[in-house]
Amino acid sequence: ARHTTIDRYIEFEMNLDLLLRKRKQRLNIVKSSKHDFGSIKRVSLIYNNALRRFPNDLALWYQYLDHLESQRSAKALRGAYPKALQ
């Protein structure tokens, strides 16, 4: 129950990213911009804030690590694994 707000916020940001990618594809926009990575950073920030608030929640850690792996964010993964093991 305590994570429903966090989960909904993360889901909203991920859906927004998906909609933006679909719109970009529909309009045949090929050029990358800084906005292409904004939602990834926002989702990571949401996870970081949630993990600071609930550091012992293993399910949240697994979700975060899965998210980083799905985004192929090696740099963030290198920092996240040691934090998860503490």
Side-chain angles (χ1 to χ4, degrees), residues 41 47 50-51:
K41 288 182 180 182
Y47 273 118
L51 288 168

Side-chain angles (χ1 to χ4, degrees), residues 8-86:
R8 288 176 57 206
Y9 189 23
I10 291 169
E11 182 181 0
F12 170 80
E13 288 292 341
M14 291 177 147
N15 288 337
L16 180 63
D17 181 50
L18 180 64
L19 287 172
L20 289 173
R21 281 189 276 139
K22 285 182 178 180
R23 182 176 186 191
K24 189 175 176 180
Q25 184 179 19
R26 186 181 76 235
L27 298 174
N28 294 323
I29 299 172
V30 180
K31 187 176 178 182
S32 295
S33 71
K34 65 180 180 181
H35 303 290
D36 293 341
F37 305 102
S39 64
I40 296 170
K41 288 182 180 182
R42 279 192 303 274
V43 171
S44 293
L45 183 65
I46 296 166
Y47 273 118
N48 283 327
N49 289 338
L51 288 168
R52 249 186 269 122
R53 188 169 182 190
F54 306 108
N56 297 324
D57 188 347
L58 291 178
L60 192 59
W61 277 107
Y62 285 129
Q63 286 177 355
Y64 178 51
L65 295 173
D66 286 341
H67 167 71
L68 293 177
E69 287 176 3
S70 71
Q71 297 300 322
R72 296 186 179 117
S73 182
K75 186 176 179 180
L77 272 170
R78 281 194 302 268
Y81 275 114
K83 288 180 185 177
L85 294 174
Q86 286 181 351

